[in-house]
Amino acid sequence: MDETSRLNPGIPRPPAHAKYDFATGKPRPRKGNCIKCFCIAFVVALLLALGINAIVLLMAFKKAEAPEFHIKTVKVSKFSTISPLNNDRVVLSTDVTFDVECNNKNPIVGVDLGDMEMQATWGEMDAHLGESRVEDFAQKAKGKKEIKVSAKNEVEISKKDVKPEDMKLDLTLFGEIKYFAGPFKTKKYPFMVSCSGVSPTSVNVGCNTKLYASGEAPSKSKQKPTPSPSPPQSGPSGESPTTSPSLESFPPVKLTVQDKYVILDNGLLAVTIAKPAGFVTGIKYNGIDNILDTVNPEDDRGYWDVVWALPGTKGTKGTFVRIIGKDFRVITDKEDRIELSFKFGGYDPSKATKKDVPLEIDQRYIMRRGESGVYSYGIFERKNWAPFGMPNARLAFKLQRQQFKYLVIADNRQREMPVPEDRLKPRGQELEYPEAVLLVDPMDPQFKGEVDDKYQYSMESQDIRVHGFICKDPPTGFWQITPSYEFRSGGPNKQFLTSHVGPSVLAMFVSAHYSGEELVPKFEEGEPWSHVYGPIFMYMNNVSKGEDFKLLWDDAKKKMEAEVKSWPYDFVASEAFPKANERVNVSGRFFVHDKLVENEKAPAKGAYIGLGPPGEAGSWQRDCKTYQFWTRTDEEGYFNITHVRVGNYNLFGWVRGYIGDYKYDKPINITVGENIDLGELVFEPPRDGPTVWEIGVPDRLAREFFIPDPNPKYINKLYVNHPDKFRQYGLWERYTELYPDEDLVYTVNSSDYKKDWFFAQVTRKIGARYNGTTWQVKFNLDNVEQNGNYKLRIAIASATNSDLEVRFNEPKPAPALFTSGRIGNDNSIARHGIHGLYWLYNIDVKGNLLQKGNNTLFLTQTKGVSPFQGIMYDYIRLEGPQKSN
Ligand SMILES: *[C@@H]1O[C@H](CO)[C@@H](O)[C@H](O)[C@H]1NC(C)=O
Ligand SMILES: *[C@@H]1O[C@H](CO)[C@@H](O)[C@H](O)[C@H]1NC(C)=O
Ligand SMILES: *[C@@H]1O[C@H](CO)[C@@H](O)[C@H](O)[C@H]1NC(C)=O
Ligand SMILES: *[C@@H]1O[C@H](CO)[C@@H](O)[C@H](O)[C@H]1NC(C)=O
Ligand SMILES: *[C@@H]1O[C@H](CO)[C@@H](O)[C@H](O)[C@H]1NC(C)=O
Ligand SMILES: *[C@@H]1O[C@H](CO)[C@@H](O)[C@H](O)[C@H]1NC(C)=O
Ligand SMILES: *[C@@H]1O[C@H](CO)[C@@H](O)[C@H](O)[C@H]1NC(C)=O
């Protein structure tokens, strides 16, 4: 066992056949007179032996398991600057060593880690610190072996003083694993190990090891290493995963079809689904018999549902329907993945009654080998059938209520949660908005006196990527990962529910929350439609007892990033879900030019830009039947909208800091095979004259305005000292307390909108009734162009059953200069959103309505029925007449 001595670079590999000799152990034929006989017998025996041997080896190759391959330590033994020869240049000297351990688990098949190559980059400066090559490492026998790979380098840098906290390297080790036995060799499996942020002081860094399928090479340019203490990632996706050694170390996915259930099992978890209904009745994972709530009946644990509405239904009402599949089918049954279908449908227009939903829903579940979770998507389809509306569509999971108590939806939005029993009388007391409950006698006294309300955990679509619950014993996470929101209604800023007391983990696809009826998809008589919601991933993870349970969230975020990278998934069977090669990218550079105010166009930074169904500028907000593809521009205004489905679109955008909506003037028709570069696009936001005064920041939110402290009786502790103070319950009630006698008056130049502009123009409570309110903006004009055309811009971040009237200088009952008419049903005040739908009003103001000296703008919200009614302003601006006029 002196093999370690051969591990040093440069020493040739031992003869591979030393132990595996072909022609041994075969009985020699007895000596006889017949030489010819002997010769023939010998040749036959030899061929036989060779044949048997070859078969044995081939079998061994086939069964060969991937070696356990990992980094024991990574050491940066040198990281220093040396001998500055002149004042500008400094030489940085580094010495890095990887300690690699390889555990070959195969008896006959050897492994060879040939030609390893190391790259080291110094992140901040992107200084490439050189490479090191290690050749030939062969390991015939079963067992563990170690190898050191080191690299010393010197490189000139321009930075003079390198601080200790800067001494962090990103390291990548590339190589390939070859299997061999005798003279036979099989394919090469490339691998890549990446470690980020390795410093001279780091002891045990997390490195991410990735094995690739034969023939697939990791890209060596600009690898961004991600730290990850997790086991080998699921290898390459696609048609090749069965050939990947990393996958082979996991058992194949197994399907058991019983009379009333089917079970998917990949050795990591087992998922039981009712057949043919498609409810997930059980998930066994990490020693927990069922992750799903066994207090609930079987159809109330993991299920697709919709709310559907007969034509003519007002508002967002409808009938809740759990989707009960009628037809079960195995779509794919391979070792690396199984896909199942539970189809709801059978709508027959000739026999249908009003009670039949004119829609088919194919509920799909996919389990993949080596993936700790289950995927689901729904194919919704209707032909030229009866009309209907669908206010809500989602996939819901309800977890064991006594175990999954720690909710996480964001780094700064996570907490221990009460149990559903706490919300019921007499433990809970329903508040003014019925979804909000005051916990008067919760099972766990720590929650006593807090408010629980699912809407406090809402998020914008663009941010809903991973959320879920943690069980602390045994430490287990259940997460919903949504790699793309292309299929959700309403675009990037539409808000949806996430996870909440239940413990419920929702994947919302369609909802009217924070928007109202305008986002209820409605289908006309004979209107065909099809849409794929998902796939999304229900991911489960664990840490050992005693480890920090918050590591589960860190890992879930990493997993989410990996899922985002592999979007659009290539393992989805349905052709209704186009793969990457059936989609295209649209890129360009986005500028904004507020003409009359800014001399020249400037790159729009962090702007929203996306493709939605053809329509007016801003119409994407109200689209709920098609796909939308959005991204944000970078610092220079560049954007890439990736993986757009074939179809006809308009390109839309909006930019924080500017009012209005951008629309590219030409339609964008996507066909396969051609990426589109739109070049430079310039958004000229609405502007007719210089700013006389403005209130707020045009960002489609009311969060910059005054948000009061909540009533101490109605606290959610999560949002105390939190940037999202607006998520507290009951803030609308504070208006009448703050302005008991007179409505809000704001004086331009002396008031501060952060303190003096209440975040919502809510109603005033008078006894048991509510009245609309009139706010005043006082401003002084040194001179007025009586014949000039002034412009008032009112951008609204949310409106609920409101009617806005605008007057200058003469209050009601003088006739209003502008009336919005009844607008909005987004209910964002009650649901603690800081915005709903966006509205922009551009109001012409003749100079003769204004006067030299003091002026008053009256903003009257006339309607008064409920405490949740009102307007959230985004931004208000008065523009003077154009100078050239
Ligand atoms: C716990 O997670 C690890 C990966 O971190 C996985 O290998 C293991 O199978 C999981 N344990 C159980 C019991 O599922
Ligand atoms: C679109 O961009 C993504 C991400 O850069 C890339 O992976 C993909 O190949 C591109 N698609 C096409 C059709 O070029
Ligand atoms: C867009 O894609 C190009 C080419 O892949 C890349 O160089 C650029 O950084 C990307 N820009 C953004 C904003 O993602
Ligand atoms: C895009 O498609 C629409 C609808 O089919 C069509 O009217 C329009 O002419 C097409 N435009 C281009 C540029 O192909
Ligand atoms: C409330 O509204 C009603 C009806 O518009 C009106 O008659 C009444 O004077 C208002 N009350 C107050 C205190 O403004
Ligand atoms: C606000 O103050 C500025 C600078 O003092 C002044 O020029 C402007 O006229 C004032 N505007 C109003 C509306 O009072
Ligand atoms: C104009 O408004 C200012 C500030 O509100 C006030 O101090 C001043 O008295 C007013 N002037 C007149 C003539 O009303």
Side-chain angles (χ1 to χ4, degrees):
M1 289 302 240
D2 63 338
E3 281 172 346
T4 35
S5 65
R6 297 199 202 102
L7 299 180
N8 296 326
I11 296 178
R13 179 149 37 101
H17 56 273
K19 200 171 177 181
Y20 311 106
D21 209 321
F22 289 106
T24 51
K26 300 295 159 203
R28 291 182 139 220
R30 247 185 289 139
K31 273 186 196 166
N33 305 338
C34 181
I35 301 278
K36 220 170 161 188
C37 254
F38 173 80
C39 283
I40 290 168
F42 180 79
V43 168
V44 168
L46 194 70
L47 286 176
L48 211 68
L50 278 172
I52 289 170
N53 221 314
I55 289 167
V56 167
L57 290 174
L58 278 177
M59 301 266 290
F61 275 135
K62 228 179 154 184
K63 278 198 282 184
E65 272 186 85
E68 274 163 11
F69 174 73
H70 67 272
I71 305 303
K72 286 189 78 174
T73 48
V74 188
K75 223 167 40 211
V76 178
S77 44
K78 193 169 180 193
F79 193 112
S80 53
T81 48
I82 43 168
S83 40
L85 300 173
N86 60 51
N87 286 338
D88 297 335
R89 295 286 164 192
V90 175
V91 174
L92 179 70
S93 170
T94 56
D95 189 349
V96 180
T97 308
F98 277 97
D99 268 319
V100 183
E101 187 181 78
C102 182
N103 182 9
N104 180 17
K105 296 195 251 175
N106 305 304
I108 308 181
V109 177
V111 295
D112 183 355
L113 311 176
D115 293 338
M116 277 186 259
E117 190 180 322
M118 189 209 305
Q119 282 186 3
T121 51
W122 189 27
E124 199 197 338
M125 298 190 42
D126 221 12
H128 182 63
L129 302 182
E131 286 152 27
S132 166
R133 199 161 262 275
V134 180
E135 279 155 27
D136 290 341
F137 161 89
Q139 181 181 358
K140 291 183 301 185
K142 194 171 164 180
K144 288 186 190 172
K145 272 172 72 167
E146 283 177 35
I147 184 170
K148 277 191 200 307
V149 189
S150 41
K152 280 185 194 166
N153 276 294
E154 288 189 357
V155 56
E156 252 191 344
I157 57 170
S158 52
K159 191 167 174 151
K160 272 182 224 159
D161 51 332
V162 177
K163 296 193 200 83
E165 61 266 30
D166 293 340
M167 297 181 171
K168 282 189 179 142
L169 292 176
D170 287 345
L171 301 167
T172 317
L173 187 67
F174 297 98
E176 21 179 63
I177 298 176
K178 284 177 269 188
Y179 288 7
F180 67 90
F184 296 109
K185 276 192 201 288
T186 60
K187 296 170 191 165
K188 301 166 181 175
Y189 297 100
F191 63 83
M192 185 184 93
V193 178
S194 45
C195 313
S196 69
V198 188
S199 71
T201 52
S202 50
V203 190
N204 249 331
V205 272
C207 292
N208 189 7
T209 306
K210 194 168 160 78
L211 292 155
Y212 293 80
S214 189
E216 193 190 4
S219 146
K220 292 194 186 180
S221 58
K222 279 231 160 189
Q223 285 294 340
K224 271 252 184 296
T226 46
S228 163
S230 56
Q233 299 270 321
S234 68
S237 40
E239 291 309 311
S240 51
T242 39
T243 60
S244 157
S246 76
L247 277 188
E248 279 174 9
S249 63
F250 293 101
V253 192
K254 211 173 74 197
L255 173 67
T256 311
V257 180
Q258 300 172 345
D259 187 22
K260 294 201 167 127
Y261 300 95
V262 293
I263 300 159
L264 288 167
D265 190 336
N266 67 359
L268 295 167
L269 75 163
V271 177
T272 305
I273 307 175
K275 181 189 112 185
F279 307 133
V280 181
T281 62
I283 299 177
K284 190 174 167 149
Y285 175 71
N286 198 26
I288 303 176
D289 256 2
N290 197 346
I291 294 256
L292 303 182
D293 194 346
T294 41
V295 176
N296 285 353
E298 291 202 327
D299 65 355
D300 192 16
R301 298 178 187 175
Y303 55 91
W304 283 81
D305 66 52
V306 300
V307 171
W308 78 285
L310 288 170
T313 308
K314 281 257 182 303
T316 60
K317 293 196 180 62
T319 311
F320 174 87
V321 187
R322 243 177 260 275
I323 303 309
I324 305 173
K326 291 177 183 151
D327 182 21
F328 163 69
R329 257 173 234 197
V330 180
I331 303 289
T332 311
D333 187 357
K334 293 190 181 171
E335 288 198 337
D336 68 301
R337 65 176 188 276
I338 293 175
E339 178 164 341
L340 306 176
S341 155
F342 303 85
K343 196 165 178 179
F344 161 84
Y347 182 84
D348 179 349
S350 64
K351 293 188 199 129
T353 68
K354 275 196 153 187
K355 281 188 183 157
D356 295 316
V357 186
L359 183 68
E360 280 180 351
I361 299 177
D362 190 351
Q363 312 170 86
R364 297 286 182 99
Y365 286 95
I366 304 172
M367 183 176 272
R368 298 172 70 200
R369 187 177 195 170
E371 287 292 346
S372 181
V374 60
Y375 296 83
S376 185
Y377 66 108
I379 308 162
F380 286 46
E381 195 165 11
R382 51 175 267 127
K383 305 203 163 62
N384 55 342
W385 293 340
F388 91 120
M390 189 175 69
N392 212 78
R394 58 176 203 178
L395 170 60
F397 281 87
K398 300 195 176 156
L399 314 181
Q400 287 290 6
R401 57 187 75 192
Q402 292 306 335
Q403 285 175 293
F404 288 84
K405 287 187 168 167
Y406 192 82
L407 166 132
V408 191
I409 61 174
D411 285 339
N412 71 351
R413 295 173 73 187
Q414 41 183 281
R415 58 164 291 162
E416 299 285 344
M417 295 296 271
V419 288
E421 289 82 352
D422 294 337
R423 294 179 48 91
L424 306 175
K425 271 184 205 162
R427 292 190 179 280
Q429 176 197 319
E430 214 175 78
L431 294 173
E432 217 160 356
Y433 201 70
E435 281 88 344
V437 164
L438 183 63
L439 306 172
V440 289
D441 178 27
M443 304 241 203
D444 184 341
Q446 67 164 310
F447 305 123
K448 194 178 162 99
E450 282 199 76
V451 168
D452 177 64
D453 181 344
K454 62 183 174 183
Y455 295 110
Q456 293 180 323
Y457 306 105
S458 295
M459 272 178 141
E460 283 194 358
S461 196
Q462 61 177 339
D463 299 322
I464 308 176
R465 302 208 142 177
V466 52
H467 61 94
F469 274 91
I470 286 172
C471 159
K472 290 190 186 165
D473 187 17
T476 309
F478 180 97
W479 309 102
Q480 214 164 56
I481 293 178
T482 316
S484 163
Y485 57 90
E486 64 181 35
F487 41 77
R488 283 201 204 111
S489 56
N493 310 110
K494 166 80 173 72
Q495 295 161 92
F496 292 95
L497 291 173
T498 59
S499 288
H500 59 264
V501 165
S504 297
V505 183
L506 306 180
M508 297 299 309
F509 300 116
V510 175
S511 96
H513 293 148
Y514 307 94
S515 58
E517 190 177 352
E518 289 167 273
L519 271 163
V520 175
K522 288 179 180 167
F523 302 95
E524 307 288 325
E525 173 76 49
E527 181 182 342
W529 177 68
S530 80
H531 198 86
V532 177
Y533 293 108
I536 62 161
F537 186 39
M538 271 55 68
Y539 174 60
M540 276 146 265
N541 58 3
N542 73 85
V543 288
S544 350
K545 270 184 199 172
E547 271 190 281
D548 183 0
F549 68 90
K550 288 189 182 166
L551 290 173
L552 294 167
W553 168 242
D554 295 339
D555 174 66
K557 282 192 292 182
K558 260 176 225 144
K559 186 66 183 165
M560 176 273 283
E561 273 157 26
E563 296 296 298
V564 168
K565 280 202 192 99
S566 52
W567 186 268
Y569 292 143
D570 56 7
F571 53 82
V572 177
S574 173
E575 280 173 13
F577 180 78
K579 312 301 175 292
N581 61 4
E582 299 162 276
R583 296 167 175 242
V584 308
N585 296 340
V586 177
S587 60
R589 193 175 182 194
F590 193 33
F591 291 85
V592 62
H593 186 198
D594 198 351
K595 52 193 163 65
L596 307 177
V597 181
E598 295 166 350
N599 287 333
E600 53 187 47
K601 67 176 195 243
K605 296 175 192 173
Y608 290 84
I609 190 129
L611 294 159
E616 296 299 302
S619 55
W620 54 271
Q621 275 201 105
R622 290 169 173 83
D623 158 59
C624 48
K625 286 185 187 170
T626 75
Y627 304 95
Q628 294 191 30
F629 301 86
W630 285 85
T631 190
R632 305 282 295 273
T633 56
D634 69 10
E635 283 291 299
E636 263 101 46
Y638 288 102
F639 64 87
N640 296 323
I641 306 172
T642 52
H643 307 304
V644 182
R645 285 169 158 254
V646 167
N648 296 338
Y649 302 88
N650 273 137
L651 182 81
F652 300 108
W654 72 273
V655 189
R656 284 210 166 130
Y658 298 88
I659 55 170
D661 271 289
Y662 173 76
K663 178 186 165 184
Y664 182 63
D665 53 7
K666 295 186 200 78
I668 296 185
N669 296 359
I670 304 274
T671 51
V672 180
E674 246 180 287
N675 289 337
I676 296 175
D677 185 355
L678 294 169
E680 292 194 355
L681 312 171
V682 185
F683 170 42
E684 293 186 350
R687 168 74 76 177
D688 289 354
T691 300
V692 179
W693 52 260
E694 59 187 349
I695 299 171
V697 178
D699 59 358
R700 304 189 172 208
L701 304 171
R703 80 183 289 158
E704 71 270 31
F705 296 126
F706 180 71
I707 297 174
D709 286 331
N711 185 327
K713 282 188 339 209
Y714 301 136
I715 298 282
N716 178 336
K717 283 184 192 149
L718 172 59
Y719 298 114
V720 174
N721 297 324
H722 191 281
D724 292 358
K725 193 178 175 185
F726 59 84
R727 298 190 196 277
Q728 294 282 15
Y729 173 86
L731 302 184
W732 54 85
E733 290 181 354
R734 306 304 259 177
Y735 179 75
T736 308
E737 293 164 28
L738 277 165
Y739 300 89
D741 306 314
E742 274 172 31
D743 282 330
L744 183 147
V745 178
Y746 184 91
T747 308
V748 171
N749 273 3
S750 67
S751 298
D752 174 358
Y753 64 74
K754 296 189 187 90
K755 289 189 228 133
D756 304 317
W757 189 269
F758 200 75
F759 76 103
Q761 185 173 3
V762 289
T763 49
R764 167 180 299 284
K765 189 166 187 189
I766 302 167
R769 300 190 49 194
Y770 296 91
N771 261 30
T773 55
T774 298
W775 286 10
Q776 296 176 46
V777 178
K778 301 217 177 261
F779 59 99
N780 188 282
L781 297 178
D782 292 338
N783 52 59
V784 175
E785 282 182 43
Q786 289 295 318
N787 297 321
N789 292 315
Y790 290 73
K791 198 106 184 185
L792 181 68
R793 312 271 185 192
I794 301 183
I796 290 176
S798 158
T800 300
N801 190 13
S802 295
D803 189 350
L804 177 65
E805 293 181 356
V806 174
R807 291 175 180 82
F808 278 97
N809 292 328
E810 278 188 78
K812 220 172 169 165
L817 170 64
F818 166 84
T819 312
S820 68
R822 190 204 160 284
I823 53 165
N825 218 336
D826 65 35
N827 225 353
S828 301
I829 294 169
R831 291 182 172 139
H832 337 289
I834 197 65
H835 75 97
L837 295 179
Y838 176 71
W839 314 69
L840 175 65
Y841 292 113
N842 304 297
I843 303 163
D844 290 321
V845 183
K846 291 265 178 270
N848 60 12
L849 291 175
L850 304 171
Q851 62 204 25
K852 187 166 157 37
N854 287 353
N855 288 272
T856 305
L857 163 67
F858 296 95
L859 299 167
T860 304
Q861 196 293 104
T862 63
K863 297 203 180 284
V865 194
S866 106
F868 315 117
Q869 201 165 20
I871 288 172
M872 287 185 205
Y873 294 93
D874 164 32
Y875 171 76
I876 306 178
R877 177 167 82 209
L878 182 68
E879 289 169 17
Q882 226 175 307
K883 284 280 175 285
S884 55
N885 277 2

